[in-house]
């Protein structure tokens, strides 16, 4: 069985943020994986294995699942277009959509690296990859003709646009992790994953991008899906967080390498603004300082799921949206929605931190930037 569970798509969420006036963009172009997928996987109908296309996904934002893209992903990037006065981004594969204000190229299961990389390591069966970063950039390049009439017109538009590149990396590491490869081996993927993200950023700069947001990965050791699958000795868990320490270290190492790559690219492209967006710090704060954000102080626990191993309310055979699962009464007091993705409340806090600080370097709506 392919581990599609970590790649599932979820609802679009919007944090109730004040309309920002500090900075406007002509368009937003978004690339990524299931954190930001607005329905590209389901434009031709809903695959049976995608429980996330059904209720309760989308219930806190849409009330009912939207007809066109029922599995639109829950993400802080969903908040960004509205915050800068733009409409929500259409999935790039949507029929009859207009893309002059931007498009969402993100797709479930997307990796930074192309599939042959995994196949060469005997991991072809664990990659559920329908569009790596480089495939998504090709979709973007193919779409240019429908957005602008000349390469100069495209350059002008892209110069006034915001490009969000990620999160990438999570699915790349899931491939060896869910094949139960040693963690030392998983660490060897980091330089290649980060180099690939760097190459993607440079392709977009070559297309005319001058403002790019590049998110890091999440502290996966805090997420109920990983806590349920990887059972560890007691000393392997953080005493205050209850998270798996060595999995969080993997995320941390990736993020440090990515920030180093961003610094290198900033030096190489001085006229380009590259923003590092932090998923790791806010997630750790939700766990360690839950009450500060209005969350219940508890072991990492899914709002929507079913009892399984431990106290995580996550069960592989009864995931959120499957028979036997149910949602908690108040998702706003949980940071984890389904053990895999955040709740709308969490994404609201993260989006705010990306737009205004402190969870982005520099903040997207940096008052010092004109």
């Amino acid at each position: 069985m392919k581990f599609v569970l970590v790649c599932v798509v979820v609802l679009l969420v919007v944090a109730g943020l004040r309309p920002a006036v500090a900075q406007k963009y002509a368009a937003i172009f978004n690339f990524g994986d299931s954190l930001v997928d607005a329905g590209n996987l389901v434009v031709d109908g809903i695959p049976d294995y995608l429980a996330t296309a059904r209720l309760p996904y989308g219930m806190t934002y849409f009330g009912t699942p939207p007809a066109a893209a029922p599995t639109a992903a829950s993400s802080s990037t969903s908040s960004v277009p509205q915050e800068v006065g733009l409409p929500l981004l259409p999935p790039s594969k949507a029929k009859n959509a207009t893309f002059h204000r931007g498009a969402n190229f993100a797709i479930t299961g997307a990796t930074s690296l192309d599939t042959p990389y995994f196949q060469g390591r005997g991991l072809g069966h664990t990659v559920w990859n329908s569009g790596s970063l480089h495939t998504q950039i090709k979709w973007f390049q193919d779409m240019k003709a429908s957005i602008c009439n000349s390469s100069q017109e495209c350059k002008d538009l892209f110069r006034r646009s915001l490009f969000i590149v990620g999160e990438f990396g999570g699915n790349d590491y899931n491939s060896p992790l869910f094949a139960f490869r040693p963690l030392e081996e998983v660490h060897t993927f980091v330089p290649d994953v980060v180099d690939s993200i760097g190459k993607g950023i440079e392709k977009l700069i070559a297309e005319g991008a001058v403002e790019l947001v590049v998110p890091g990965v999440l502290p996966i050791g805090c997420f109920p899906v990983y806590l349920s699958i990887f059972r560890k000795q007691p000393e392997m868990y953080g005493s205050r967080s209850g998270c798996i320490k060595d999995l969080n270290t993997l995320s941390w190492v990736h993020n440090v390498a990515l920030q180093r790559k961003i610094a290198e690219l900033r030096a190489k492209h001085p006229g380009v603004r590259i923003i590092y967006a932090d998923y790791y710090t806010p997630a750790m704060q939700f766990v360690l300082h839950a009450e500060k954000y209005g969350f219940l102080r508890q072991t990492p626990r899914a709002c929507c799921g079913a009892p399984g191993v431990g106290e995580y309310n996550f069960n592989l055979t009864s995931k959120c949206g499957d028979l036997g699962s149910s949602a908690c009464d108040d998702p706003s007091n949980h940071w984890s929605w389904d053990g895999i993705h955040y709740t709308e409340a969490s994404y609201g806090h993260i989006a705010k931190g990306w737009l205004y600080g402190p969870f982005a370097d520099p903040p997207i709506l940096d008052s010092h930037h004109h």
Side-chain angles (χ1 to χ4, degrees), residues 54-133:
R54 303 191 288 272
L55 281 172
Y57 285 88
M59 68 179 195
T60 54
Y61 175 49
F62 293 115
T64 57
T71 61
S74 170
S75 167
S76 43
T77 58
S78 308
S79 308
V80 175
Q82 294 210 327
E83 184 68 358
V84 294
L86 289 167
L88 290 169
L89 305 179
S92 66
K93 296 291 181 186
K95 295 174 178 67
N96 306 321
T98 174
F99 300 109
H100 298 277
R101 308 304 302 275
N104 190 351
F105 298 91
I107 194 151
T108 293
T111 48
S112 162
L113 295 157
D114 290 320
T115 307
Y117 180 92
F118 302 97
Q119 290 167 335
R121 286 159 179 72
L123 291 167
H125 62 295
T126 63
V127 180
W128 192 68
N129 185 348
S130 37
S132 72
L133 167 59

Side-chain angles (χ1 to χ4, degrees), residues 14-346:
V14 173
L17 302 171
R18 300 183 311 278
V21 290
Q23 190 171 351
K24 296 276 185 183
Y25 294 99
I28 297 181
F29 296 96
N30 190 80
F31 306 82
D33 70 2
S34 63
L35 285 177
V36 292
D37 181 337
N40 277 326
L41 190 76
V42 296
V43 286
D44 295 318
I46 298 168
D48 292 342
Y49 49 76
L50 271 189
T52 50
R54 303 191 288 272
L55 281 172
Y57 285 88
M59 68 179 195
T60 54
Y61 175 49
F62 293 115
T64 57
T71 61
S74 170
S75 167
S76 43
T77 58
S78 308
S79 308
V80 175
Q82 294 210 327
E83 184 68 358
V84 294
L86 289 167
L88 290 169
L89 305 179
S92 66
K93 296 291 181 186
K95 295 174 178 67
N96 306 321
T98 174
F99 300 109
H100 298 277
R101 308 304 302 275
N104 190 351
F105 298 91
I107 194 151
T108 293
T111 48
S112 162
L113 295 157
D114 290 320
T115 307
Y117 180 92
F118 302 97
Q119 290 167 335
R121 286 159 179 72
L123 291 167
H125 62 295
T126 63
V127 180
W128 192 68
N129 185 348
S130 37
S132 72
L133 167 59
H134 300 281
T135 304
Q136 292 178 28
I137 291 173
K138 187 168 183 328
W139 293 343
F140 165 71
Q141 290 165 335
D142 292 346
M143 186 189 276
K144 283 195 315 188
S146 65
I147 306 176
C148 30
N149 297 318
S150 66
S151 63
Q152 190 52 51
E153 198 180 309
C154 282
K155 278 262 192 323
D156 290 345
L157 173 64
F158 301 155
R159 195 180 298 119
R160 294 177 293 117
S161 299
L162 182 67
F163 288 77
I164 302 174
V165 190
E167 171 268 349
F168 283 102
N171 289 316
D172 296 79
Y173 305 127
N174 287 341
S175 173
L177 284 171
F178 289 121
F180 297 100
R181 296 282 177 92
L183 211 51
E184 299 76 47
E185 184 184 336
V186 184
H187 275 270
T188 67
F189 284 51
V190 174
D192 297 326
V193 168
V194 169
D195 278 349
S196 177
I197 295 169
K199 286 189 177 78
I201 292 168
E202 293 208 281
K203 282 182 187 176
L204 293 170
I205 292 171
E207 292 291 344
V210 296
E211 297 230 5
L212 302 99
V213 176
V214 185
V217 297
L218 303 91
I220 58 173
C222 296
F223 280 72
V225 57
Y226 295 90
L227 286 159
S228 299
I229 291 171
F230 300 99
R231 307 299 291 163
K232 304 277 186 176
Q233 296 303 312
E235 66 276 9
M236 302 290 281
Y237 296 88
S239 57
R240 286 168 59 227
S241 67
C243 304
I244 298 171
K245 292 189 283 190
D246 59 8
L247 289 180
N248 278 0
T249 299
L250 172 67
S251 299
W252 179 262
V253 166
H254 168 95
N255 289 341
V256 168
L258 181 63
Q259 288 171 83
R260 194 176 297 134
K261 174 62 70 180
I262 288 171
E264 185 186 302
L265 292 173
R266 282 172 181 155
K268 191 172 166 185
H269 303 278
V272 176
R273 186 168 178 251
I274 307 173
I275 296 159
Y276 172 71
D278 189 350
Y279 268 128
Y280 190 103
T281 307
M284 291 310 300
Q285 292 201 7
F286 297 159
V287 174
L288 295 171
H289 307 290
E291 302 91 336
K292 184 181 161 188
Y293 296 93
F295 301 139
L296 299 172
R297 180 131 188 90
Q298 57 186 0
T299 306
R301 187 177 186 283
C303 160
C304 180
V309 184
E311 312 152 61
Y312 310 118
N313 196 38
F314 182 87
N315 191 318
L316 275 175
T317 61
S318 191
K319 300 184 297 299
C320 182
D322 288 344
L323 201 63
S325 69
S326 59
C328 61
D329 291 336
D330 184 4
S332 70
N333 63 23
H334 284 61
W335 63 266
S336 173
W337 167 243
D338 56 359
I340 300 164
H341 301 90
Y342 288 123
T343 55
E344 182 178 337
S346 306

